[in-house]
Amino acid sequence: MSLYWIVLWVIVLVVVRISHWWYQWSNPKSNGKLPPGSMGFPIIGETFDYFKPHGFYEISPFLKKKMLRYGPLFRTNILGVKTVVSTDMDVNMDILRHENEYFTLSYPDGLVKPLGKDSLFFKTGNIHKHIKHISMRLLGSENLKRKIIKDMDRVTQEHFSLKANQGTFDVKEAVSRVTSFYLTNLVMILISPKDKSNSIKKIVILMLSQSKHKTMITINIKCAQACREGMQLMKDIYARRKTSREKYDDFLETTLEELEKEGSLVNEDVIISLIFTLCCITQDTTSKATCMAVKFISENPKVLAELKREHEAILARREDKEDGVTWEEYRHKMTFTNMVINESLRLTNLAPMMFRKVFKHVEIYITTGYTIPAGWIVMVIPSVVHLDPEIYENPFEFNPWRWEGKELRSGSKTFMVFGAGIRQCAGSEFARLQISIFIHHLVTTYNFSLSKDCEVVRVPGALFPKGIFMNISKRSQHQHDSGLEVSEHRRRNGSDASACTSLYRKKPRVKDKDGRGCEND
Ligand code: HEM
C-alpha cells in the first residue's frame, strides 16, 4: 500500500473517531429522557456564551435564546460539565428543597476551592447543619441586636464623615472596609493592641485584594494566594489565642468552646475556614448590594424623598439624637427601606445562579418525564423569575412600591435572592441591617449624587467596571433641621412615613402566576 493510502486511512480513522466523540459529546447517555438542549463545542461547551457580558437591563441573550428554543429547562455544557439549566420557579424550588435527598451543593472549583476543602461549601448533612448553627451565633438576629448593630452604626458613621471630607469615594470599597473593620474586631479580639491593629490592617487589605482580584468566573492566582495568606493569618491568631487561654467576648471564643465540647463535629481547620469564609462573603456581597441600592436611590428622586421622610421620622422620634440606629428602629420603623432593599436585590440578582450536583437519577416531575442523570450539574437561575413580566409588572423598572403590603423578609419561589432550603443565606439579616444603616446616615446627613459613568454590566453577576463613585457633602444644619421639622409635624399629625403613606404611593404590583401575592408558599 502506498504512503498515500496509509495517510488517507489515518485521516479517515481520525475523522471517524472525532465525529464519534463529537456525537457522544452532543448526545449524552441517559436512562430516561434528557431535557432538550445542545452541548456546544467539545470541552468548552457553551461556557463563553453563558458568561458573555451583557447589559444590566436585559436577560442574558444566551438564556433568552435557549428558553425560546427549548423552554425553561434545558441541557447544556458549562465549564466542561454536563449541566441542566432551570429557569422555572417551581423546578428551582424543588431542587433547592431536595438538597441531600437528590442534590448536593457543588460550585465550580474556581469559586470555592481557594476557601479550602474544609469550607462549609463542601460539607453536607449533620456537619453542614452544625457549621450553619455556629455561623448563626455570629450572624443571627440575637447577635446583631446584642452586639453588632452598635459597631456597625458607629463605624459606618465614622466612615461617612471621613469620606464627606474627601468629597468623593468608591461605595463598594468603602462598604468593604467598613464591614471588614468591625467584623474582624467582632470575630477576634486579638491578644495585644499592637497585634490587633497590625492584623486587622492586614486582614482588611487581604479581603479587599480578594474581592478585587475576582474575575468573571474564576478567582485568579493572586486571589487564591490572598485566601491562603488570610487563612494562615487566622491560623496564627487562633493558635496564639488557644495558648494564651485568655477569655474574650468574641466569635473566636464561641468557636473555641464549640471545639472543646465532647464529640464536637468540627475541627480547627473547619472553624478557621468558616471564619475566613464569612469575612470574605460579608464584605463582597454587602458592598455590592449597598452600591446597587445607592445607585437606584440616586436615580429615583421619589424613592429618595420617601426614604428621607422615613428616616427623618426615625430621627425625630429618637430621644438622644447622638445615638445610632437601634434594633427597634431597624425592625419596626424601616418598612419602606426594606421595600427598597428587596426591589434592589430583585433587580440586581447578586447570586444569579446556584449550583447543585445530582447524586441520584432524578425525575423532574414538574416538566413531565425529564431525567437528569447522576453526576450532572443543575444550575438554578432565579434571576429569570425575578425579571419575569408575568410575575413583576415592568420588571426592569425600579419600583419599591410593588412590595407594599407584602411579607418583606422571607423568600419564596418568586423571590429567591437569598436562596432557599437548607442552604438559604446565613447572612441575609446582617446584609439588610448594614444596607439600612448605610441608607439611614446617607439620607439624613448628606447630600449626594453618583458619578455619571457608574456602569453596571452582568457577567452574569452584576459588575461595576469603573466602580460606583459617590460625590458627597454634609447637609447644612438648616437643611437638616427643616427635614426634622417636617417629620415631627407629620408624626404629630398621625402621618408616619414608616407606615409608607406618601404622595408618591403607587398601587402594589407584585403578583405570582396564580394572581396571588408574593408571600412564602
Ligand atoms: C445581599 C447580600 C447577600 C446575598 C444576595 C446572598 C445570597 C446568598 C444565596 C443566594 C445563598 C445560597 C447559595 C446556594 O444555595 O447555593 C447564600 C448562602 C450563604 N450566604 Fe449569603 N448572601 C448575601 C450576604 C451574605 C452575608 C453578608 C453573609 C455573611 C457572612 C452570607 C453568608 C452566606 C453563607 C454562609 C451561605 C451558605 C449557607 C449554607 O451553605 O448553608 N451571605 N447567600
Side-chain angles (χ1 to χ4, degrees):
M1 205 191 289
S2 71
L3 186 65
Y4 171 80
W5 284 107
I6 293 173
V7 171
L8 194 68
W9 270 112
V10 170
I11 292 173
V12 170
L13 272 176
V14 170
V15 169
V16 168
R17 199 59 213 250
I18 290 176
S19 310
H20 180 66
W21 180 53
W22 197 306
Y23 179 81
Q24 280 190 325
W25 171 271
S26 308
N27 299 279
K29 279 193 189 131
S30 162
N31 288 338
K33 190 173 153 201
L34 279 171
S38 59
M39 307 302 279
F41 287 105
I43 302 170
I44 54 167
E46 299 184 311
T47 308
F48 290 108
D49 285 343
Y50 180 68
F51 288 101
K52 203 167 168 186
H54 59 95
F56 184 76
Y57 290 102
E58 61 170 340
I59 289 183
S60 142
F62 170 79
L63 289 178
K64 227 172 6 193
K65 193 173 90 189
K66 293 282 177 180
M67 284 162 63
L68 278 174
R69 188 150 178 206
Y70 304 117
L73 196 74
F74 58 88
R75 70 167 191 265
T76 177
N77 185 302
I78 290 174
L79 299 169
V81 184
K82 292 169 191 155
T83 302
V84 166
V85 173
S86 165
T87 60
D88 180 290
M89 61 181 172
D90 293 303
V91 178
N92 286 353
M93 191 52 118
D94 268 349
I95 292 167
L96 297 184
R97 281 197 176 151
H98 285 100
E99 174 123 12
N100 288 349
E101 225 177 303
Y102 300 114
F103 304 96
T104 181
L105 187 116
S106 180
Y107 275 82
D109 278 356
L111 289 179
V112 288
K113 223 176 174 176
L115 298 169
K117 66 178 179 8
D118 293 303
S119 158
L120 89 160
F121 294 113
F122 294 111
K123 303 292 177 199
T124 54
N126 280 344
I127 300 191
H128 165 255
K129 226 168 156 180
H130 188 61
I131 302 176
K132 188 92 173 253
H133 177 75
I134 300 175
S135 317
M136 294 317 282
R137 290 181 59 184
L138 175 72
L139 300 165
S141 297
E142 201 40 53
N143 202 42
L144 291 174
K145 176 179 167 182
R146 188 176 70 88
K147 284 182 78 178
I148 297 187
I149 188 168
K150 267 211 166 86
D151 281 1
M152 204 183 244
D153 188 90
R154 182 182 48 79
V155 179
T156 308
Q157 275 199 63
E158 284 169 6
H159 223 75
F160 262 131
S161 45
L162 188 81
K163 296 298 173 185
N165 290 336
Q166 292 168 5
T168 179
F169 69 99
D170 181 346
V171 181
K172 184 170 184 305
E173 185 165 338
V175 179
S176 292
R177 278 186 191 279
V178 165
T179 50
S180 306
F181 201 86
Y182 63 70
L183 251 196
T184 342
N185 220 356
L186 276 161
V187 165
M188 47 184 94
I189 299 168
L190 299 166
I191 297 156
S192 75
K194 188 169 156 266
D195 272 350
K196 190 167 164 174
S197 83
N198 281 343
S199 302
I200 286 178
K201 261 188 225 147
K202 216 168 163 187
I203 289 171
V204 170
I205 291 165
L206 278 170
M207 284 178 183
L208 288 175
S209 78
Q210 192 267 353
S211 74
K212 258 191 195 146
H213 293 305
K214 198 181 281 180
T215 55
M216 270 186 268
I217 46 172
T218 52
I219 294 176
N220 66 22
I221 296 166
K222 274 193 174 161
C223 176
Q225 190 185 337
C227 282
R228 269 198 305 277
E229 282 177 31
M231 219 93 88
Q232 187 54 49
L233 187 65
M234 290 199 182
K235 267 186 191 164
D236 296 344
I237 296 165
Y238 210 83
R240 273 189 282 161
R241 173 69 77 79
K242 253 173 84 178
T243 43
S244 85
R245 297 217 157 256
E246 285 177 59
K247 294 263 176 217
Y248 295 88
D249 182 20
D250 62 4
F251 185 58
L252 203 59
E253 197 65 44
T254 311
T255 59
L256 277 167
E257 282 164 16
E258 216 38 71
L259 277 182
E260 279 162 15
K261 279 186 188 159
E262 222 183 280
S264 173
L265 288 173
V266 289
N267 60 28
E268 203 171 299
D269 291 335
V270 170
I271 294 293
I272 288 164
S273 168
L274 174 68
I275 294 176
F276 186 71
T277 305
L278 293 183
C279 292
C280 290
I281 302 181
T282 306
Q283 60 86 37
D284 194 42
T285 52
T286 314
S287 58
K288 275 191 180 163
T290 312
C291 277
M292 288 308 295
V294 168
K295 181 169 158 54
F296 290 126
I297 293 167
S298 53
E299 287 167 355
N300 290 275
K302 290 177 182 178
V303 173
L304 176 59
E306 186 67 46
L307 279 172
K308 278 187 176 169
R309 257 189 288 280
E310 179 162 276
H311 287 273
E312 273 155 8
I314 291 172
L315 271 189
R317 282 165 189 266
R318 201 178 285 160
E319 282 176 6
D320 186 346
K321 306 285 180 246
E322 296 303 307
D323 276 356
V325 172
T326 65
W327 185 253
E328 160 71 17
E329 289 166 353
Y330 162 66
R331 288 297 295 212
H332 304 295
K333 305 283 176 234
M334 296 194 187
T335 310
F336 187 70
T337 308
N338 267 289
M339 288 158 62
V340 169
I341 294 174
N342 274 20
E343 183 66 348
S344 175
L345 292 173
R346 176 190 73 79
L347 263 170
T348 306
N349 286 304
L350 276 177
M353 65 255 184
M354 291 173 252
F355 293 84
R356 298 293 184 269
K357 192 181 210 161
V358 183
F359 57 77
K360 283 181 192 165
H361 273 64
V362 177
E363 290 270 326
I364 301 241
Y365 50 87
I366 300 283
T367 35
T368 48
Y370 287 135
T371 302
I372 309 179
W376 280 53
I377 290 289
V378 186
M379 213 198 253
V380 170
I381 314 253
S383 51
V384 171
V385 180
H386 297 156
L387 300 171
D388 181 346
E390 296 216 345
I391 302 168
Y392 297 97
E393 199 180 318
N394 297 327
F396 289 104
E397 184 192 349
F398 182 75
N399 174 19
W401 286 273
R402 69 171 90 233
W403 293 95
E404 203 159 19
K406 304 281 177 285
E407 163 56 49
L408 295 173
R409 280 192 163 77
S410 54
S412 68
K413 62 185 180 183
T414 54
F415 186 61
M416 224 182 244
V417 288
F418 290 114
I422 58 169
R423 294 277 173 181
Q424 195 157 12
C425 181
S428 55
E429 197 65 45
F430 175 97
R432 277 185 189 280
L433 180 62
Q434 174 64 71
I435 303 167
S436 305
I437 287 179
F438 191 94
I439 291 176
H440 176 78
H441 293 297
L442 184 65
V443 303
T444 53
T445 317
Y446 299 96
N447 291 319
F448 64 95
S449 62
L450 288 194
S451 302
K452 291 243 159 12
D453 56 350
C454 289
E455 190 198 354
V456 186
V457 290
R458 298 191 197 264
V459 278
L463 221 73
F464 323 122
K466 294 177 191 154
I468 299 282
F469 280 86
M470 183 193 276
N471 307 313
I472 183 169
S473 61
K474 202 156 185 168
R475 281 163 75 181
S476 67
Q477 197 56 37
H478 169 71
Q479 284 173 314
H480 193 254
D481 290 346
S482 57
L484 284 182
E485 270 165 31
V486 172
S487 305
E488 182 63 6
H489 176 78
R490 281 171 175 271
R491 187 170 77 83
R492 291 224 179 98
N493 289 291
S495 157
D496 183 355
S498 66
C500 268
T501 50
S502 143
L503 280 176
Y504 307 113
R505 198 157 92 174
K506 293 181 186 169
K507 282 196 162 37
R509 288 177 167 183
V510 180
K511 58 179 172 23
D512 67 16
K513 282 193 165 152
D514 306 320
R516 287 184 311 240
C518 199
E519 288 88 19
N520 206 350
D521 54 344

